[in-house]
Amino acid sequence: MTRQGPQAAVERALQAARCDDCVVIADETSSANLRWAGNTLTTNGVSRTRQLTVIAIGRRGVATAAGVVSRAGVRDDQIADVVRAAEQAAADSIPADDALPLVAPDGAAAQAAGWDEPAASTGIGVFTPFAAALGDAFGAAAAAGRKLYGFAEHSLTCTFLGTSSGLRLRHDQPGGKVEINAKSADLARSAWAGAGTRDFSDIDVAGLAARLSLQLDWAARRVDLPAGHYETLLPPAAVADLMIYLYWSAGARDAMDGRSVFSKPGGGSRIGERLASCALTLRSDPAAPGLECAPFVIAHASGRDSSVFDNGLALAPTDWISAGQLAALTQTRRTAQRSGLPVTPEIGNLILAAPGATASLDDMVARTERGLLLTCLWYIREVDPQSLLLTGLTRDGVYLVEEGRVTAAVNNFRFNESPVAMLGRITEVGATAAALPREWSDFFTRAAMPPVRVDGFNMSSVSQAS
Amino acid sequence: MDLTAGTAGAGRVDEEFTALPLRELAAVALQRAADLGAGHADFRAERIMRRRISLSDGQLETRYDTDEAGLAVRVVVDGTWGFASDVDLTAAAAARAAAEAVDVARVAAALTAERIELASEPAHGDVTWVSDYDIDPFSVPVAEQIALLGGWSAGLLAHDRVDHVDASLLQVKECKFYSDGATTATQQRIRVHPELTAVAVQAGGRFETMRTLAPPAGRGYEYLTGTGWDFPAEFAEIPALLEAKLAAPTVRAGRYDLVIHPSNLFLTMHESVGHATELDRALGYEAAYAGTSFATPDKLGSLRYGSPVMHVTGDRTARHGLATIGYDDEGVAAQSWDLISGGVLTGYQLDRRTARLTGLGRSNGCAFADSPGHMPIQRMANVSLRPAEGGPSIAELIAGVQRGIYVVGDKSWSIDMQRYNFQFTGQRFFRISHGRLAGQLRDVAYQATTTDFWNSMEAVGGPQTYLLGGAFNCGKGQPGQAAPVSHGCPAVLMRGIRILNTVEEAS
């Protein structure tokens, strides 16, 4: 049986549906990756997959049930089977807590151009110029007695969303990242740099390698410091990991249920409360240059902060924290009804900025009398949801700054910090720029963050890891 | 294997999977790879069904069924890996993936300095293996599953002190076909993870949670209905435990003796022993991501990892273990071996490549890929701490502590990239005073360095304290892969461990 493409699969599934309402999502994904260790490539691969998700909705009087079946590699002659399975799932289910009418065309994102264009794909060829530069970097590192480790990945997902309410929306999401970790021959010194990218044309391997060399040189002198509260400069990658966790913890449902850091004692949420000591804004915008993401809701399954009934809903730029005050929490149309707050679904990028901030990280180092400069954070986990206390490690370079310059490398630390409380102890904010989160880049690569200076960052204990 | 007549498919690989032209696809792919110059080729075809159901306060929040299938070809061409996969289970796709894998290897060769060679493995012929379960959960009506979770939720919500209940059930059926020409393995395994969390919110805004300790298991639906765990008995205890936790005093930070229940210790084992004894990590192949290990190969046979009562094994054979299988994703038969003997590092977890590279002989069968779209890497076996024959009960361990804390259930976890410094919390903590439990404590975390911690282990409990814990979601590798794994442990007694107060840490 031939296959006529994802657009035809969406139409065929909608036509096959006998349920009251139906949402169909066809995803075509291709990806390629390279991985290396010790100046040699280790693993690699390319993959292609396609996934058909059918959300069958049965309305029984006031009760509405939804069944979701998502299947990979569906042939045209199997589409009706997937629809039947979803309908059966809806019939088996109890009413959905988030049930609402489907999004109508006038409430959806504007019709995406190019619905009928074939789905594009990526492949190993996307790395051609990058791989040559990487090969040069391997050679240079080997000559300098250093070792490079890392990973490069590129993917393209073309999503086609159709609903029985008449929506036909398409979103093509390219995504990519490169992470390079440089180590001294004895592995005692380590440095890391990473970048997100849409197409690898903007990846400057030589530039990243030069920064790594500088950091390894900083580590020529080593000082041991004890646990304690330190004035700390966090570069954008470290800020990104902390702010992304805060964002993931900003669900309206949990806040209204009294079980998150954003709950107000006695009921309701902390919206309107000042969180940051300065006029910081934490926001998402589907059209943010270089960080473009889906301009409409794509929900394969319902969850605490997502709803399949919201599929196709237009996403507007949203401030989560505005001028230092909590301004919005992530939510569905259903939780918005309950909380009486605007509908602000999660958006696939995150930007932290302070108005007028222009300082670079180097500028901030130059203004530091004594403090720590971090590279990135690792193994970040929630310790206490009440305060959003997180724990984790510093990784790949902690440096001592004295009288405006880096004077030595320091041992790693385990930190215990809440990103919410930390916002209140930020004393300086630099210029916002694209940043790859070290910890969460498997799930979230589109971030722009400033470097920040934090008073009294809690380094709870020393880690022997190097 | 328990085979119960008439139950839903137990003991057999799904006919829907075996009816696919698996051997034909393998033959096409292996021939194509050989024709194009591959020195080694292996083929996988997989189908993985997952179902997630979650209820929030008894209302249906998520019900999501996924069905993933595809094929993968891995080759070695002139000493370089190549890997490609495809979502179509057709001969054309198998041939295309084989050709693409060879292409990828040739592109990669320019950047590759290390020659890939694989440890040899006996040919096992055409073999079938099915995990040990009675009832395929995908044969149980979903309405019945939702009703079960709904009934459990309602029972807890009926208690005054419980404000919210989260209930979830994850179910996975994994069908794998592997062939390298010498070994052809058709396998199926089932795993389930039911979990309930009760939440209480106080008027002043403080909230606490209490989660079930029932571990995820390589069992079928029978696990939810009385085999292997007594859920009603556990639910009956939760409201009172939650209420006591809300009323408990905050812990004073300092050093304490700990008695650790296996429902907490399994995760500490996972992070501080399981990952640290993965040879690919110890050799640096995960250096930029998951990290390396302090337990480097030069210390094999000499590193004093823990006290002499510490005996740790790796295995892919434990009954109901989440990492248990018949043959790994390189055709290596499942085995059981020592990792730590009398407190000394004596072994590693291997795949065919690292076994050959380090001269350690045959692979012990730890290669695993979590999907047809991913290349197999060395993944964790069931890494378990051996109980002491005739050893003490939990009450006897507690009786040996003057001032300490009894730790039950896992919660937060974090460890550094060389597996030295870790910090864990738990579901509940009880003060031990003069050999007896004296009520709960809250805001507790324990923090230690791996070898200090395991060397402070004074006693391990007897087999009556043993529990097989585990997780579905162990992450490793780039692209990221999630692997299920179990860890068996007895209760243990540790002396002088650093305890933090998590409220003080946040202030």
Side-chain angles (χ1 to χ4, degrees):
Chain A
M1 185 103 187
T2 56
R3 205 169 64 82
Q4 296 178 325
Q7 301 91 336
V10 170
E11 299 302 343
R12 189 183 282 243
L14 287 170
Q15 283 161 14
R18 296 173 195 149
C19 47
D20 298 304
D21 274 316
C22 189
V23 178
V24 181
I25 305 170
D27 296 295
E28 303 259 332
T29 301
S30 51
S31 68
N33 67 76
L34 298 174
R35 195 179 197 200
W36 56 95
N39 300 331
T40 179
L41 221 56
T42 52
T43 60
N44 55 61
V46 293
S47 79
R48 257 191 304 274
T49 187
R50 62 174 190 277
Q51 179 175 277
L52 185 71
T53 302
V54 176
I55 301 155
I57 295 162
R59 301 191 188 274
R60 308 168 213 148
V62 292
T64 297
V68 185
V69 170
S70 193
R71 194 169 290 175
V74 176
R75 297 189 311 267
D76 286 352
D77 61 327
Q78 298 170 319
I79 290 172
D81 298 343
V82 180
V83 175
R84 294 288 92 78
E87 289 171 343
Q88 186 61 48
D92 284 348
S93 274
I94 61 173
D97 195 35
D98 55 336
L100 279 172
L102 292 185
V103 174
D106 63 356
Q111 177 59 49
W115 171 267
D116 293 323
E117 295 298 312
S121 65
T122 188
I124 201 81
V126 74
F127 297 127
T128 302
F130 166 80
L134 186 65
D136 293 344
F138 287 171
R146 291 170 175 167
K147 293 179 175 176
L148 297 183
Y149 301 76
F151 181 62
E153 182 178 43
H154 189 250
S155 65
L156 178 61
T157 298
C158 302
T159 298
F160 299 84
L161 169 70
T163 70
S164 55
S165 61
L167 300 188
R168 297 293 183 275
L169 295 170
R170 172 181 182 164
H171 177 67
D172 289 4
Q173 184 68 64
K177 65 170 177 178
V178 57
E179 294 185 73
I180 306 180
N181 172 211
K183 293 182 189 294
S184 57
D186 62 359
L187 306 186
R189 290 183 270 159
S190 188
W192 176 89
T197 181
R198 288 170 65 86
D199 59 11
F200 272 80
S201 66
D202 54 348
I203 296 297
D204 172 13
V205 175
L208 292 171
R211 177 76 190 182
L212 294 170
S213 292
L214 174 67
Q215 288 191 220
L216 291 182
D217 289 344
W218 282 346
R221 178 171 168 250
R222 157 78 185 240
V223 170
D224 287 334
L225 288 179
H229 289 72
Y230 288 91
E231 178 178 316
T232 301
L233 295 174
L234 280 79
V239 176
D241 275 318
L242 294 175
M243 289 302 116
I244 289 166
Y245 202 92
L246 181 154
Y247 182 42
W248 285 340
S249 306
R253 172 79 192 262
D254 278 347
M256 301 307 289
D257 280 353
R259 50 190 292 197
S260 95
V261 68
F262 298 115
S263 301
K264 190 168 158 182
S269 78
R270 293 172 66 188
I271 285 179
E273 195 175 309
R274 173 162 290 281
L275 300 179
S277 51
C278 46
L280 280 165
T281 295
L282 183 70
R283 64 189 178 88
S284 299
D285 177 0
L291 306 175
E292 294 89 348
C293 60
F296 55 90
V297 170
I298 302 170
H300 294 85
S302 289
R304 184 137 298 213
D305 303 310
S306 67
S307 171
V308 292
F309 293 89
D310 289 353
N311 268 303
L313 189 68
L315 295 172
T318 305
D319 283 1
W320 310 106
I321 295 172
S322 182
Q325 290 186 343
L326 183 64
L329 297 167
T330 56
Q331 57 185 330
T332 63
R333 288 184 298 162
R334 185 72 175 128
T335 63
Q337 275 184 347
R338 286 183 183 157
S339 63
L341 295 165
V343 183
T344 47
E346 189 172 321
I347 296 168
N349 61 26
L350 193 65
I351 301 157
L352 182 73
T358 57
S360 69
L361 187 57
D362 290 344
D363 295 337
M364 292 166 68
V365 168
R367 284 199 279 271
T368 303
E369 195 170 319
R370 188 171 192 276
L372 298 178
L373 168 65
L374 308 185
T375 300
C376 55
L377 304 175
W378 185 248
Y379 223 124
I380 300 166
R381 292 294 182 275
E382 183 176 303
V383 178
D384 184 358
Q386 185 100 49
S387 58
L388 202 64
L389 180 68
L390 305 180
T391 193
L393 285 305
T394 62
R395 186 169 184 181
D396 294 322
V398 178
Y399 306 101
L400 176 63
V401 180
E402 295 174 299
E403 296 175 351
R405 61 186 190 88
V406 173
T407 56
V410 179
N411 45 272
N412 278 303
F413 294 99
R414 167 170 299 287
F415 69 86
N416 277 318
E417 265 291 345
S418 160
V420 179
M422 188 189 85
L423 286 172
R425 299 201 315 281
I426 290 177
T427 57
E428 186 181 5
V429 181
T432 294
L436 185 75
R438 175 72 188 274
E439 170 91 27
W440 304 123
S441 69
D442 285 351
F443 317 102
F444 203 107
T445 55
R446 292 178 287 277
M449 296 283 149
V452 302
R453 183 189 308 276
V454 177
D455 190 34
F457 196 88
N458 180 13
M459 300 298 186
S460 174
S461 61
V462 168
S463 156
Q464 295 174 51
S466 56
Chain B
M1 188 173 299
D2 289 341
L3 289 178
T4 308
T7 54
R12 290 198 309 272
V13 179
D14 274 9
E15 279 175 18
E16 265 188 87
F17 186 67
T18 55
L20 294 166
L22 300 167
R23 286 163 186 77
E24 179 196 334
L25 300 182
V28 167
L30 298 180
Q31 187 60 53
R32 182 85 174 131
D35 290 348
L36 292 170
H40 168 90
D42 53 54
F43 171 88
R44 275 185 300 129
E46 299 192 354
R47 181 183 187 196
I48 305 163
M49 298 172 71
R50 297 184 175 88
R51 175 176 295 155
R52 177 178 170 77
I53 299 171
S54 69
L55 274 65
S56 178
D57 295 340
Q59 301 292 309
L60 185 63
E61 185 173 83
T62 303
R63 187 257 155 111
Y64 187 38
D65 288 32
T66 63
D67 191 342
E68 179 185 10
L71 59 82
V73 181
R74 185 179 71 157
V75 298
V76 180
V77 181
D78 299 330
T80 301
W81 284 127
F83 175 83
S85 69
D86 204 292
V87 73
D88 290 316
L89 292 167
T90 61
R96 189 168 65 222
E100 199 163 21
V102 171
D103 278 349
V104 168
R106 297 206 191 282
V107 169
L111 293 173
T112 305
E114 286 183 353
R115 192 173 174 82
I116 301 297
E117 295 179 331
L118 304 180
S120 56
E121 172 69 12
H124 299 292
D126 197 328
V127 289
T128 298
W129 182 91
V130 179
S131 70
D132 190 350
Y133 64 91
D134 294 337
I135 302 169
D136 177 350
F138 292 88
S139 72
V140 177
V142 179
E144 189 179 321
Q145 301 182 349
I146 293 172
L148 184 66
L149 294 182
W152 289 352
S153 299
L156 281 173
L157 281 167
H159 194 277
D160 288 347
R161 195 51 271 176
V162 176
D163 294 302
H164 300 289
V165 174
D166 302 333
S168 65
L169 174 60
L170 305 179
Q171 305 166 76
V172 180
K173 176 158 63 176
E174 192 181 86
C175 302
K176 276 179 178 275
F177 174 85
Y178 169 88
S179 183
D180 57 20
T183 294
T184 296
T186 310
Q187 306 186 83
Q188 174 167 304
R189 52 185 196 169
I190 295 271
R191 52 186 176 267
V192 294
H193 187 191
E195 191 173 88
L196 262 80
T197 302
V199 184
V201 183
Q202 281 186 327
R206 197 160 74 77
F207 59 92
E208 291 288 358
T209 64
M210 189 61 67
R211 203 204 66 213
T212 47
L213 304 181
R219 293 179 183 267
Y221 197 72
E222 69 278 5
Y223 186 50
L224 283 86
T225 57
T227 301
W229 196 260
D230 187 345
F231 283 92
E234 181 161 30
F235 300 147
E237 293 180 344
I238 281 182
L241 286 167
L242 181 59
E243 189 159 22
K245 189 176 183 182
L246 268 176
T250 193
V251 73
R252 179 185 292 186
R255 292 208 174 258
Y256 291 81
D257 295 343
L258 303 185
V259 174
I260 306 180
H261 189 266
S263 58
N264 179 272
L265 190 68
F266 87 90
L267 188 52
T268 310
M269 281 284 300
H270 174 87
E271 300 293 358
S272 70
V273 182
H275 280 303
T277 56
E278 294 179 310
L279 185 58
D280 63 338
R281 287 185 63 120
L283 292 172
Y285 290 101
E286 286 285 333
Y289 182 67
T292 60
S293 173
F294 71 91
T296 45
D298 55 303
K299 298 177 181 133
L300 189 63
S302 62
L303 175 69
R304 173 52 67 184
Y305 211 109
S307 67
V309 298
M310 184 183 192
H311 303 281
V312 177
T313 53
D315 79 76
R316 299 202 68 187
T317 56
R319 195 175 180 209
H320 307 304
L322 296 171
T324 298
I325 196 142
Y327 302 85
D328 79 352
D329 284 344
E330 297 185 313
V332 177
Q335 297 158 48
S336 177
W337 67 99
D338 289 342
L339 291 168
I340 296 170
S341 313
V344 175
L345 175 70
T346 50
Y348 282 105
Q349 303 164 66
L350 311 172
D351 60 15
R352 290 176 66 179
R353 196 270 163 128
T354 56
R356 173 65 180 254
L357 187 68
T358 49
L360 288 173
R362 183 186 173 201
S363 166
N364 47 35
C366 294
F368 175 75
D370 71 349
S371 94
H374 288 151
M375 186 160 163
I377 55 176
Q378 185 270 304
R379 296 311 306 265
M380 205 180 292
N382 304 306
V383 170
S384 298
L385 180 66
R386 196 189 307 162
E389 283 306 322
S393 65
I394 291 172
E396 287 166 336
L397 289 170
I398 290 170
V401 174
Q402 284 298 301
R403 174 180 177 271
I405 297 174
Y406 174 44
V407 184
V408 182
D410 69 291
K411 198 171 183 190
S412 174
W413 73 101
S414 175
I415 188 166
D416 74 33
M417 43 284 174
Q418 280 175 272
R419 303 283 143 172
Y420 286 112
N421 175 306
F422 60 66
Q423 178 177 307
F424 292 90
T425 66
Q427 288 299 317
R428 44 193 187 259
F429 299 88
F430 298 87
R431 193 160 69 91
I432 303 173
S433 179
H434 303 289
R436 305 173 79 102
L437 296 186
Q440 286 190 55
L441 292 166
R442 61 179 172 87
D443 311 322
V444 182
Y446 66 90
Q447 203 181 68
T449 293
T450 293
T451 45
D452 294 346
F453 179 80
W454 291 109
N455 275 289
S456 76
M457 184 163 68
E458 184 176 291
V460 296
Q464 72 277 29
T465 72
Y466 191 82
L467 178 69
L468 192 66
F472 274 20
N473 59 342
C474 173
K476 186 178 172 184
Q478 288 183 306
Q481 299 196 44
V485 60
S486 290
H487 302 286
C489 310
V492 299
L493 168 58
M494 321 293 290
R495 296 290 188 189
I497 304 298
R498 183 185 179 197
I499 293 290
L500 305 181
N501 179 301
T502 58
V503 172
E504 287 169 11
E505 287 294 305
S507 58

